[in-house]
Amino acid sequence: MTAAAHSWQTNAPDDSGHRPPTTEQTRIRIATTHRPLTKRPLRLTDALDFWQFAGAAANVIMQMANPGVGYGVAESKVESGSLMKHPWKRARTTTQYLAVAILGNDAEKKAFREAVNVAHRQVRSEPGAPVEYNAFDRNLQLWVAACLYIGFEDTYQLLSGRMSPEQNEAFYRSSSSLGTTLQVPEDMWPATRADFDEYWNKACEQAVLDDFVRSYLNDLLDLRMIHWYLRIPFRGLLRFLTIGFLAPHFREQMRVEWTAADQRRFENLFLFVGFVNRFIPRFLRHGGSHTLMMDIRRRIKRQKNLI
C-alpha cells in the first residue's frame, strides 16, 4: 500500500491522549454463533438476501454521518437521483450498483462506474460552503464502500450467526469490489479484516451529524418521501429496524433511544428470520440480485441509461 493508504492505520492516542471509538461503539452486537449452511470459505455473495433491505436506511445514516457525504447527498442538485424526490429510482440505482459490484464482470462494472461518474460530476460544494465535498473524493467513496460492507456483514451475521475470525477473513477478501467499482483503487481498500476494523473505528471519529443532516435523515425515517397511506403502516417498523441496525455511535449521533428490551426484540426477530431463511431456496433469497443483473445487461445491450 501507499503511505497515504496507510495513514488511517493507527490505534495510538493522539497528543491529547484521545483514542478512536472502540468496536463495541462502532458495530452492532451479534449474539448468536454461526450456523453454517456450507463448509466452503464464505464470500460476499453469501450475504445476498432480500433481508438486506431491512438495514438499508441504517446504511444511509452511516454513510451520511460523514459530513462530506451527508452534505453532498442533502444538497445534491441531481434531482433525478434524489432520495427524497425519487425514492424508488434511488433504491433501484443503489441495489443495482451492489449487484454489479458483487456479481458483475469487468465490463459491466466499468459501464456502471461511468454512469455513476456522470451524476457525481455535478455533486460538489459551492465556494465558501460550510462543508466542502466532492463526489470524486476517494476518501468519501472509501467511507461509503466501507458502510456498504458493514451492511452486508451485519445482515449475514444477524441471519446466520457470528462468523469465526477465519470465516470473517475469507468473507472480507471478496469485498473490495464494493469500492473499486467506484473510484477507490485496490491498494486503498484495507488489506485484511483487522486493517478494516482499524480503518473503520478511526473513520467513525469523523462521522458526526449536525442538525441539518440529522433533520434530512429524520425525514427519511418518517418516510416523508412516500404517500401518507404507505407511510403510516410502515413508519414504526422502519424506525425499529433502522435503529436496531445502528451501532451505539450512530444512535448517539441520531439522538434516538434504544433499550435492552428493544435489543432483545431485535435479536429475537432475526433469530426467527434466520431460522426460516434456512428453508427458503437460495435462488429465491438471492433472486432479486440476479433479476437486477438481467435488467442491467439488457440496458447495456440496448445502450440505455443505467441510473
Side-chain angles (χ1 to χ4, degrees):
M1 287 189 183
T2 64
H6 276 297
S7 63
W8 45 262
Q9 294 188 11
T10 175
N11 273 334
D14 59 23
D15 293 340
S16 66
H18 174 74
R19 291 181 181 273
T22 64
T23 300
E24 288 72 23
Q25 295 169 300
T26 64
R27 297 301 306 274
I28 65 171
R29 187 179 78 170
I30 306 295
T32 57
T33 55
H34 194 254
R35 305 178 296 279
L37 292 174
T38 177
K39 293 183 179 180
R40 64 165 171 74
L42 298 175
R43 300 189 297 266
L44 198 61
T45 51
D46 292 308
L48 292 173
D49 194 286
F50 48 64
W51 271 95
Q52 196 76 32
F53 290 105
N59 212 266
V60 171
I61 289 171
M62 289 193 291
Q63 293 174 36
M64 292 184 65
N66 180 296
V69 178
Y71 273 76
V73 171
E75 294 184 337
S76 174
K77 298 179 178 63
V78 186
E79 184 174 320
S80 63
S82 170
L83 176 61
M84 300 305 293
K85 295 180 180 178
H86 301 284
W88 308 119
K89 184 176 185 294
R90 181 57 184 262
R92 190 205 75 193
T93 299
T94 301
T95 52
Q96 286 192 322
Y97 170 79
L98 294 173
V100 170
I102 298 171
L103 300 173
N105 59 36
D106 289 344
E108 290 159 353
K109 291 175 183 177
K110 180 181 178 182
F112 211 91
R113 182 187 305 115
E114 290 174 350
V116 171
N117 286 349
V118 172
H120 277 182
R121 288 190 184 98
Q122 305 171 64
V123 182
R124 59 177 64 239
S125 56
E126 299 291 340
V131 174
E132 294 184 9
Y133 57 86
N134 184 326
F136 280 96
D137 184 329
R138 290 177 174 178
N139 287 310
L140 295 184
Q141 292 194 7
L142 176 60
W143 169 255
V144 169
C147 290
L148 294 173
Y149 173 77
I150 292 288
F152 277 108
E153 186 180 275
D154 284 351
T155 304
Y156 178 83
Q157 292 193 117
L158 283 169
L159 293 171
S160 301
R162 186 177 59 256
M163 290 182 272
S164 70
E166 294 76 21
Q167 290 169 324
N168 209 323
E169 191 68 38
F171 184 84
Y172 177 74
R173 279 199 299 270
S174 64
S175 68
S176 62
S177 62
L178 293 174
T180 57
T181 305
L182 293 171
Q183 302 288 334
V184 179
E186 187 75 38
D187 66 356
M188 197 173 178
W189 188 253
T192 68
R193 187 61 186 72
D195 288 339
F196 180 86
D197 275 344
E198 209 167 338
Y199 160 77
W200 179 253
N201 290 340
K202 184 70 175 176
C204 280
E205 286 189 285
Q206 308 303 317
V208 179
L209 289 170
D210 65 9
D211 290 339
F212 173 69
V213 178
R214 190 183 298 109
S215 175
Y216 180 97
L217 291 170
N218 275 316
D219 284 347
L220 168 65
L221 286 188
D222 288 336
L223 293 175
R224 293 188 179 276
M225 65 288 198
I226 65 175
H227 293 296
W228 65 267
Y229 51 81
L230 291 175
R231 186 186 311 160
I232 292 174
F234 292 109
R235 184 167 51 193
L237 176 61
L238 174 67
R239 183 170 286 271
F240 173 75
L241 290 171
T242 299
I243 299 173
F245 269 95
L246 290 176
H249 172 79
F250 297 98
R251 291 176 193 151
E252 291 173 7
Q253 293 302 314
M254 284 297 294
R255 299 177 183 171
V256 293
E257 295 184 359
W258 187 252
T259 67
D262 291 329
Q263 183 66 30
R264 285 194 300 272
R265 285 193 292 269
F266 183 77
E267 291 175 356
N268 287 338
L269 170 64
F270 278 92
L271 189 63
F272 171 75
V273 170
F275 174 77
V276 172
N277 248 26
R278 297 169 71 88
F279 301 98
I280 300 176
R282 181 186 175 94
F283 77 90
L284 289 178
R285 290 186 288 113
H286 297 194
S289 298
H290 295 285
T291 301
L292 290 169
M293 284 304 304
M294 289 172 60
D295 180 57
I296 290 167
R297 287 164 182 153
R298 178 183 61 82
R299 287 170 178 269
I300 291 174
K301 184 177 180 179
R302 298 182 180 180
Q303 298 183 328
K304 289 190 172 184
N305 291 336
L306 294 183
I307 65 171

